[in-house]
Amino acid sequence: MPAPGGRAEEPVYRPVLAARRGELEALGHLDDALAPLLSPILQLSEVDKTVIGPLTRLPPGLLPAVDIGALPDTTASALACRGVPLVPVIGLTDGERRLAALGATARAQTQRGVVRLRLRQDRAGPDATTTAVERIGRHARLAPEQCDLVLDCGDVCCPADVRLAEPRVRRMLDWTRRHAWRSVSVVAGGMPPALSRLPIDEPVRVDRWDWLLWQRLADLGVTFGDYGVASAAAAQPAVDRHLTVPYTGDRARLIHRWSRRRGQGDQRIADLCRTLVSGPHWPATGASFSWGDQEIARRARRGAGAGSATNWMAWSTSHHLAHVLNALARATPSR
């Protein structure tokens, strides 16, 4: 997939995922053949054994970028010292000390960084953005040629969001030609910020406006990115007391939210999974499509217990990653 400027780059999919147990479990079960095609950004909210262990057991060829957000400047280097391979994520507004720390980690590990430009937060014109990039170069000591650029649109959840985001992304893609980036990705979130208003005990269709936005930009050679099956709006999702499994199809997701009934957890998740495997998005290859689909099929047969919210997130994310990689292999630019 050529990047802007005609440079040939290996095709990648760049999901932004919270570094929680469910998402990390899904990544850990990714097929080894698919792992090199994935370049996730993992957003860390804490660093403990529930994060360190899974990060050191990712499939060969899967090298995550790590966004330490509000964590201390030394977090990236501390993770590296504990055996976690990573590419640091750099923000345009990061302070000098953080830029220096992230740059040192990048040079010590992969000689690479990811520059994440949040279009809704980093509101600046082309010249100001160029100045910010030059500042990154001075303090992190990383040139654009060593960095992958991510244009993060935030939530894109309706046609109006697509109409608003597309021209701004196109203007920023014009700006990207000022620098020789390793790659350019456009990331958007397509899940509703809250699911609590959706009906329960029936699948609810939610259009994938993030995917539609990328299709409208794919003629420019940008790499696709999304927020998996989570919303881009909230750092921590609201607690949903219902059994919830979002399931990704070509143009839409089906959100399955089943009510709980005391003492009937296994029965209720089995009913949800039977509805899912008989639905329109269940893949032609069935349970072999991904590890998550295998787990869903087991519950549909009542071959395992109900699991937890962490498990449901892991199954949904596992299917989503496999589905997107499969779709990208088939995709052609369309308008």
Side-chain angles (χ1 to χ4, degrees):
M1 184 179 298
R7 301 180 307 281
E9 297 286 351
E10 181 180 356
V12 296
Y13 161 41
R14 193 179 291 281
V16 177
L17 304 173
R20 298 186 297 252
R21 285 187 299 161
E23 288 87 345
L24 293 175
E25 185 175 11
L27 288 173
H29 283 91
L30 193 69
D31 187 280
D32 287 349
L34 296 180
L37 302 178
L38 197 72
S39 296
I41 291 177
L42 299 179
Q43 300 189 121
L44 269 67
S45 58
E46 59 183 349
V47 177
D48 58 23
K49 63 181 181 181
T50 65
V51 172
I52 298 296
L55 282 176
T56 59
R57 296 191 296 270
L58 294 176
L62 182 62
L63 180 64
V66 173
D67 192 331
I68 62 174
L71 296 177
D73 297 340
T74 56
T75 302
S77 59
L79 287 170
C81 290
R82 298 174 75 171
V84 178
L86 58 88
V87 176
V89 174
I90 300 168
L92 261 64
T93 60
D94 284 345
E96 295 179 7
R97 180 177 296 179
R98 173 160 297 208
L99 289 175
L102 295 176
T105 299
R107 293 191 301 277
Q109 289 228 13
T110 60
Q111 298 290 322
R112 289 170 49 193
V114 170
V115 174
R116 186 177 182 185
L117 197 164
R118 299 174 185 260
L119 296 185
R120 293 185 179 179
Q121 299 177 25
D122 302 327
R123 292 185 176 275
D127 293 341
T129 305
T130 295
T131 299
V133 170
E134 292 171 348
R135 176 173 164 273
I136 289 172
R138 286 196 306 274
H139 297 292
R141 294 165 53 196
L142 292 172
E145 295 91 331
Q146 298 172 277
C147 296
D148 299 288
L149 177 66
V150 173
L151 303 180
D152 190 339
C153 303
D155 270 331
V156 177
C157 296
C158 66
D161 286 347
V162 175
R163 290 194 298 270
L164 189 65
E166 182 183 356
R168 181 157 196 210
V169 173
R170 286 185 176 274
R171 287 194 298 271
M172 290 307 300
L173 289 174
D174 286 340
W175 167 82
T176 64
R177 294 181 175 89
R178 295 188 181 187
H179 306 280
W181 302 102
R182 292 187 74 255
S183 71
V184 178
S185 304
V186 174
V187 172
M191 281 285 286
L195 304 180
S196 58
R197 296 183 180 179
L198 297 181
I200 60 173
D201 296 335
E202 63 180 80
V204 179
R205 176 188 169 99
V206 174
D207 289 323
R208 293 178 62 202
W209 300 109
D210 49 350
W211 178 254
L212 174 62
L213 174 64
W214 175 78
Q215 287 185 307
R216 295 177 64 86
L217 298 166
D219 61 299
L220 300 177
V222 293
T223 298
F224 174 71
D226 62 16
Y227 276 75
V229 295
S231 168
Q236 292 294 333
V239 176
D240 192 337
R241 60 189 180 87
H242 299 294
L243 312 172
T244 305
V245 179
Y247 198 76
T248 303
D250 283 340
R251 295 180 178 274
R253 295 180 180 88
L254 290 180
I255 312 297
H256 301 74
R257 299 177 69 238
W258 257 234
S259 59
R260 294 176 183 268
R261 296 174 185 168
R262 188 181 299 275
Q264 297 184 27
D266 290 2
Q267 179 181 333
R268 297 298 290 157
I269 200 69
D271 181 67
L272 184 158
C273 291
R274 282 195 300 271
T275 301
L276 196 158
V277 302
S278 62
H281 292 344
W282 187 247
T285 54
S288 64
F289 189 75
S290 72
W291 167 78
D293 290 292
Q294 294 174 18
E295 295 300 308
I296 289 169
R298 288 178 62 204
R299 271 73 188 179
R301 298 191 300 268
R302 296 191 181 183
S308 65
T310 294
N311 300 131
W312 310 331
M313 174 58 77
W315 309 337
S316 300
T317 301
S318 173
H319 167 79
H320 178 83
L321 299 178
H323 178 91
V324 170
L325 288 171
N326 183 271
L328 288 172
R330 299 182 279 109
T332 55
S334 62
R335 295 289 297 175

